[in-house]
Amino acid sequence: MSALPEGTFTALRTQLQDAATAFADGPGALEGLLRGIVDDVERAVREPLEIFPVCHHSPASALAMARRLREKQPKVIYLELCEDMAPLLTELRNCRLPVAVQAFATEVDGFPADWSPLSVVAPVTEASAEYQAIAYALDTPGVELVLVDRSSDHVFQWETPPGEETGPDAPAGDEETALHGDAVGVEIGDLRPRFAELEEHLLRHGRVRHWSEWWHQYVELPLGDSDHDTYRQVMLLIGSLFRRLAPGDPRRLRVDENRERYMWTRMREHLTATGADPADCLYVCGAFHAASRVEEFGVHGSDTFTISPPTATRWRHGLIPSSHAAIEAQFALAAGSVSIAATEWAKNLRRTGVRPYRLAGQAGAKKSGRPVRALPAPAAPPADRLTGFLQRPPALDPLDEAELLGWSVDIVRAARRNGYLASTADAIAVFETSILLAGMRDRVRPTPYDFQDAAVTCIEKDIVPGRRDVRRLVEIMMGGDRVGQVGYDALPPLARDVHDRLAPLNLRLQQRGVQRALLDITSRPELERCSDVLWMLRRLLPEGAARPIMGDRRLGERPIQESWDLALGTHQRALIELGYEGVSIEQVLEQRLRRAAYAPQATTAQVLEAVEDAIRYLRSRRLADELGTHALQVLAGERTVDGAPEVLLRVRRLLAYYRTSEPALPAWIESFVKTGYAHYCTLLPTAFTDEDATVRQVAARLGFLFSMEGLALSLGCDRTQLELALAQSHPREPSRTALLWAAQTHLGTLSRAALRTRCDELLANPLVVPAYPRYLSGFVHALEPVPGLADFVVEAVSNAFARLPDPVLLPWLPTLITTLRSGGAELAPLLIREAGRVFPARLAELDAWVPPWHLAQEPPATHPRQPAHAARGVAFLAAHPAACDALADLLGYDGTWTSPDPGAPRGSALLTGHPETAIALEALLAAA
């Protein structure tokens, strides 16, 4: 395109100066603003390298781009997109749009650690000028596509720390609609006023509700049929206006100008290296950046901008599925605006007959025998198109009654399918109301937004009978939230490996929605490998991607039959991002387990969970031993009991697994038991008095000590340490006091009779009765370390109900129930089973029933120091010596322990001197 002659915009400058004088009572800031806008337009138009300003996902921009590409046939296209994303663009032909080009980094080097993971996305739709340029460049021989925007690394180099983001550079966080998640969106063609008062003024005087509707009415429609020069100058004018009216945010201004310096530096470098003629090149960028005022503007600008080197962060790149809703969330557009833009794009193509560019072989692209290339149109002499465009009144599109009538009928049909009581009368009402609303807003032809408001007014009434309201139904009717898909060939190696390994399921895993997978592993053993993959995916992917319906993965168990609900197509983005972390799901899972275990804030319970996952999902003894050794170090550094219940649960499971599947316990778990026994004994007195620790946590610590006591003593621990710890414990809270009594009963330092006496004293004291439920709560939690006290807890509760009068019991009962429910719900089944064993099974037996704790107790067995004939067990064993002789033979005893009497049994002398064993056996048999 030839340069504009001097004085082309003189008439426009004069008109704007007169307008500024009339509105501002003389020249001033307004005149400077208007003259500056014209200067920006003239400067961009005079540039030898043609600048093509665009607005992202604008049908008018896409249509103008398709026209210009067929006319100009450029040899080089410079595109405003992160330069490190260039290798991915060829993979777009394997995808169904919309998709997003993504750069992803999990391990950061040169950025704050709390920024991880880093993600940058650039969504692409067919109704965007950028896609038209990409498709033209990739499918036209001899055309070079050069990405010139800052790299993904520089995006974060120029970012502020989290919590200080402002403007569109900040992450888009609408997780319900944004497939892009917390990724930073690349501002390709982002065109929106950053001056809030300006946007409010435009919306109010344009009689529209939001920015998307204003843009559709006052930019999209007028520019849809305009020529190339008019389109360029109008877009440059809008970009310059928004740029000059943007608030003076130094950070945003610095980022914007640095991006422009970056892009012009890259373009000058390419022109110098290749010797390309700027007249054969096309620079595609957002209109906001096209009207730049930096000194480095243009191919002949000063080359003084120094691009900083990238950090050592390792970036991975790929394509992820996007959606209309995700793009709307990223660019702060109104819901449904991108779907309406896609419909407008298809309508423009039918009306104008322009043939768009589509990548060959792409899903959804129409096949043709040979490509159609339009001949370059004769170039019109450059002229001032702005003056005529701004002076010309807006063209009022005639009412298309057939289109509006079709919309009205379709929305009534959709409403009836979704539960609304809509009829033909509603269709007529929607038709007439749409025309009425358009007339009130100074337009003849109702826009999709007018029709949407009319449909809501006439159909929705007061209630929404189904899942979707009328506004959502209109969005679906206009195109819906179209979701893209990344093809198999464009997936990273990990995602392709997952699809290959799940191929025996014979499911279409690329398809969106939920699919049911049935695995009969007994009859088809090869499906066990699919089961392993599914359980790892369940551990790695978001909830709902792989959900087990039947089957479980426990330590030491092998699967038999399983049933799964799979939605890998719906969660394709999450699966693709796993591919950025490794080449296989096993590698990614191992990395995540290590990362979780070695995190600075990791607790012992979390490290033990990683050990379990390493065994369950990876079956890796090496990784389990490594993480178990680390758990030992974390345990030694803990000074609280916060995670004691979970630690107890996981250690018990791991011990049960190793005892049943391994010939010997691993060294790390033996060390863990020894260290844990000594560690918890040391902290036990503090835990009993710590106000921040709950009774459940203290009980779990006692449970660890009591359940691991046998193994710990066999490994060299001393029980005296536990006895001293309990002796030094002096709790003041009732529930912990009851817990201490239960522990002393277990160790034998407090008899059951003494414990029963203490409970009777509590019930007899009116001042203590209100706190008795808290004592019972302690006894209930004591069932974790001392399950043998279940009968005593039943006795304590029964005595309370039997002895307390109704005026005391009735106010006290709700407190008891809430205390037991909140503090011992998981232990209630043990109490219920014990109560079922103790209480009569039939109502008729209740009157004659006597509680076992009220029965007369037999006299205690004789003390070992008493004569031998006082112990009945000694006489019993002496009368039946075969049991002792069999035990002696089993132990390999040679008979040297026989009594002096040759006719006496071999064990009689030993029983006479040491009757404790017989007495203990007698007590055990009596209890059974």
Side-chain angles (χ1 to χ4, degrees):
M1 175 178 289
S2 59
L4 286 173
E6 293 291 340
T8 301
F9 292 100
T10 302
L12 180 59
R13 284 194 178 89
T14 302
Q15 294 180 8
L16 293 178
Q17 182 177 357
D18 295 341
T21 303
F23 285 102
D25 297 330
L30 179 58
E31 179 184 359
L33 172 66
L34 297 178
R35 291 177 62 89
I37 293 174
V38 179
D39 292 340
D40 291 341
V41 175
E42 185 174 13
R43 184 184 185 189
V45 173
R46 290 182 181 277
E47 174 59 38
L49 174 60
E50 180 178 342
I51 304 173
F52 195 98
V54 301
C55 176
H56 198 34
H57 306 300
S58 166
S61 294
L63 191 66
M65 174 62 71
R67 285 172 173 164
R68 186 56 182 165
L69 291 174
R70 295 198 182 276
E71 294 173 358
K72 184 179 178 66
Q73 300 292 319
K75 298 296 188 295
V76 179
I77 294 181
Y78 298 110
L79 183 61
E80 178 191 329
L81 186 63
C82 294
E83 56 186 359
D84 55 326
M85 295 181 176
L88 294 173
L89 299 183
T90 57
E91 296 294 339
L92 288 175
R93 67 179 73 253
N94 297 318
C95 305
R96 185 176 69 241
L97 300 181
V99 297
V101 187
Q102 182 182 41
F104 194 85
T106 54
E107 299 179 1
V108 298
D109 188 352
F111 301 110
D114 56 352
W115 285 19
S116 177
L118 305 180
S119 181
V120 179
V121 296
V124 179
T125 63
E126 187 176 347
S128 62
E130 297 82 8
Y131 175 72
Q132 294 299 307
I134 293 171
Y136 165 80
L138 294 183
D139 282 352
T140 305
V143 177
E144 185 178 4
L145 179 65
V146 182
L147 306 187
V148 295
D149 199 3
R150 53 183 177 166
S151 66
S152 304
D153 197 89
H154 287 88
V155 170
F156 287 94
Q157 285 189 32
W158 299 352
E159 273 291 310
T160 55
E164 301 178 13
E165 298 96 344
T166 57
D169 269 343
D174 187 353
E175 296 184 358
E176 294 183 358
T177 59
L179 293 179
H180 306 160
D182 293 331
V184 173
V186 178
E187 301 174 53
I188 306 178
D190 178 34
L191 198 58
R192 187 187 184 102
R194 297 177 183 173
F195 189 40
E197 288 78 4
L198 172 61
E199 182 172 348
E200 181 182 356
H201 177 82
L202 294 175
L203 298 183
R204 183 174 66 254
H205 289 274
R207 299 183 180 181
V208 294
R209 293 170 302 161
H210 43 70
W211 174 251
S212 301
E213 187 176 357
W214 186 93
W215 182 267
H216 177 271
Q217 178 66 26
Y218 295 99
V219 180
E220 286 291 337
L221 297 181
L223 291 181
D225 296 323
S226 62
D227 59 88
H228 175 61
D229 288 337
T230 302
Y231 168 82
R232 283 188 68 205
Q233 294 175 23
V234 170
M235 292 294 289
L236 290 170
L237 176 71
I238 296 175
S240 176
L241 175 66
F242 290 172
R243 187 185 186 99
R244 288 181 176 272
L245 289 180
D249 185 352
R251 188 193 73 85
R252 286 301 304 270
L253 181 62
R254 182 177 66 255
V255 170
D256 290 335
E257 293 183 350
N258 283 344
R259 288 182 66 182
E260 292 151 11
R261 293 186 178 99
Y262 194 109
M263 290 187 283
W264 280 108
T265 300
R266 291 303 192 201
M267 285 186 283
R268 284 192 293 267
E269 291 175 353
H270 182 268
L271 290 172
T272 302
T274 61
D277 185 358
D280 295 330
C281 303
L282 188 67
Y283 171 34
V284 182
C285 67
F288 193 89
H289 297 290
S292 175
R293 295 178 292 165
V294 299
E295 296 179 359
E296 293 80 1
F297 184 90
V299 296
H300 301 302
S302 58
D303 191 7
T304 59
F305 184 67
T306 302
I307 299 176
S308 60
T311 66
T313 299
R314 184 181 178 185
W315 290 90
R316 300 178 184 271
H317 300 81
L319 297 171
I320 60 174
S322 185
S323 69
H324 290 171
I327 297 171
E328 291 160 0
Q330 176 178 333
F331 287 88
L333 302 176
S337 58
V338 178
S339 299
I340 294 175
T343 304
E344 190 71 22
W345 161 251
K347 187 189 302 182
N348 288 344
L349 294 180
R350 291 193 300 268
R351 187 183 73 252
T352 61
V354 174
R355 183 178 178 83
Y357 288 95
R358 291 187 177 95
L359 288 171
Q362 187 170 30
K366 296 181 180 179
K367 298 181 180 179
S368 59
R370 56 180 179 179
V372 177
R373 293 174 62 98
L375 295 177
D384 173 15
R385 306 288 185 180
L386 277 177
T387 303
F389 182 84
L390 296 177
Q391 290 180 345
R392 184 174 65 247
L396 300 177
D397 293 338
L399 173 63
D400 189 343
E401 292 188 0
E403 179 188 56
L404 183 58
L405 186 59
W407 288 355
S408 302
V409 172
D410 290 341
I411 189 59
V412 168
R413 183 184 298 114
R416 290 184 64 85
R417 284 198 301 263
N418 284 269
Y420 290 91
L421 299 178
S423 63
T424 305
D426 292 306
I428 298 174
V430 172
F431 180 88
E432 297 295 342
T433 306
S434 301
I435 298 176
L436 177 63
L437 288 177
M440 295 173 61
R441 295 166 180 173
D442 294 335
R443 42 186 179 254
V444 177
R445 183 174 185 170
T447 66
Y449 300 97
D450 299 326
F451 171 75
Q452 188 179 58
D453 293 340
V456 172
T457 303
C458 298
I459 298 178
E460 190 164 288
K461 307 296 190 302
D462 297 329
I463 61 172
V464 178
R467 294 187 300 111
R468 300 185 179 99
D469 57 14
V470 174
R471 190 174 303 278
R472 177 61 180 152
L473 294 178
V474 174
E475 294 174 9
I476 295 174
M477 191 185 73
M478 293 293 176
D481 183 17
R482 189 174 304 168
V483 180
Q485 184 183 71
V486 179
Y488 176 85
D489 295 331
L491 293 174
L494 179 144
R496 292 200 300 268
D497 178 63
V498 168
H499 284 278
D500 294 341
R501 294 167 67 176
L502 295 180
L505 299 179
N506 297 321
L507 297 176
R508 300 176 61 184
L509 299 177
Q510 289 273 63
Q511 180 178 335
R512 291 181 59 84
V514 179
Q515 302 179 72
R516 179 63 58 88
L518 303 176
L519 285 72
D520 187 0
I521 302 174
T522 303
S523 60
R524 296 182 60 190
E526 68 274 11
L527 294 181
E528 184 174 357
R529 304 179 67 180
C530 296
S531 173
D532 295 338
V533 173
L534 291 176
W535 282 109
M536 285 187 280
L537 290 177
R538 180 179 181 268
R539 175 64 171 75
L540 295 172
L541 293 181
E543 184 178 359
R547 186 168 64 94
I549 303 301
M550 181 182 68
D552 198 2
R553 177 59 62 99
R554 298 181 181 178
L555 293 176
E557 294 185 0
R558 308 295 295 186
I560 300 176
Q561 286 184 335
E562 293 180 352
S563 176
W564 290 80
D565 275 351
L566 302 180
L568 298 184
T570 305
H571 297 82
Q572 191 181 50
R573 169 183 172 262
L575 180 61
I576 291 173
E577 289 187 348
L578 288 182
Y580 301 157
E581 301 183 42
V583 296
S584 67
I585 53 177
E586 287 84 1
Q587 179 188 5
V588 174
L589 180 56
E590 182 172 340
Q591 290 175 353
R592 290 197 180 183
L593 291 179
R594 279 202 174 93
R595 193 181 306 128
Y598 288 93
Q601 304 300 326
T603 63
T604 304
Q606 292 171 341
V607 180
L608 291 178
E609 181 183 8
V611 175
E612 284 190 65
D613 290 344
I615 298 173
R616 284 191 299 173
Y617 301 124
L618 298 176
R619 298 190 180 95
S620 174
R621 175 65 181 274
R622 169 191 55 82
L623 181 60
D625 290 349
E626 175 189 340
L627 299 181
T629 304
H630 180 64
L632 181 62
Q633 302 172 0
V634 175
L635 175 67
E638 288 186 347
R639 292 296 178 266
T640 64
V641 296
D642 294 346
E646 192 173 357
V647 170
L648 172 62
L649 181 65
R650 298 192 182 280
V651 169
R652 282 177 174 173
R653 281 206 296 256
L654 288 170
L655 276 173
Y657 166 75
Y658 283 121
R659 282 170 172 166
T660 56
S661 61
E662 300 285 345
L665 292 177
W668 74 265
I669 202 168
E670 293 184 351
S671 300
F672 188 91
V673 172
K674 291 174 58 178
T675 303
Y677 189 85
H679 182 70
Y680 282 165
C681 284
T682 303
L683 299 181
L684 194 59
T686 305
F688 268 108
T689 57
D690 187 4
E691 295 181 356
D692 295 332
T694 64
V695 63
R696 180 172 179 266
Q697 293 170 346
V698 180
R701 178 168 291 191
L702 287 173
F704 181 93
L705 293 172
F706 291 164
S707 60
M708 305 295 164
E709 185 178 18
L711 178 59
L713 295 180
S714 67
L715 296 175
C717 295
D718 189 358
R719 195 186 193 193
T720 306
Q721 189 175 5
L722 176 58
E723 295 174 349
L724 291 176
L726 289 177
Q728 295 172 358
S729 301
H730 304 288
R732 294 181 295 272
E733 202 271 333
S735 59
R736 302 186 194 190
T737 301
L739 187 61
L740 177 61
W741 292 348
Q744 293 172 344
T745 303
H746 175 76
L747 291 182
T749 57
L750 180 67
S751 64
R752 282 219 176 187
L755 183 60
R756 184 175 291 106
T757 301
R758 292 184 180 183
C759 291
D760 293 339
E761 292 174 354
L762 293 176
L763 286 174
N765 189 345
L767 299 178
V768 182
V769 166
Y772 193 71
R774 298 167 66 185
Y775 284 95
L776 290 181
S777 175
F779 285 128
V780 170
H781 282 97
L783 297 180
E784 176 71 39
V786 191
L789 279 181
D791 58 335
F792 177 81
V793 178
V794 172
E795 175 186 345
V797 175
S798 302
N799 286 336
F801 277 84
R803 296 179 53 180
L804 293 178
D806 290 346
V808 176
L809 183 61
L810 292 179
W812 175 75
L813 188 58
T815 305
L816 171 65
I817 296 175
T818 55
T819 302
L820 293 178
R821 176 177 294 180
S822 62
E826 68 279 1
L827 299 172
L830 182 60
L831 285 179
I832 294 174
R833 287 195 300 269
E834 182 63 26
R837 188 186 67 84
V838 172
F839 289 98
R842 300 181 182 277
L843 183 62
E845 303 173 0
L846 186 60
D847 294 336
W849 177 73
V850 178
W853 50 86
H854 289 169
L855 297 176
Q857 300 293 328
E858 296 183 1
T862 56
H863 193 271
R865 297 303 179 185
Q866 293 178 350
H869 63 272
R872 293 183 297 161
V874 178
F876 179 79
L877 288 178
H880 304 277
C884 296
D885 294 341
L887 179 60
D889 295 337
L890 181 62
L891 296 176
Y893 208 67
D894 56 3
T896 57
W897 55 290
T898 55
S899 62
D901 186 2
R906 289 190 292 165
S908 60
L910 184 64
L911 290 174
T912 303
H914 303 280
E916 294 92 342
T917 302
I919 296 173
L921 179 59
E922 179 185 12
L924 181 62
L925 294 175

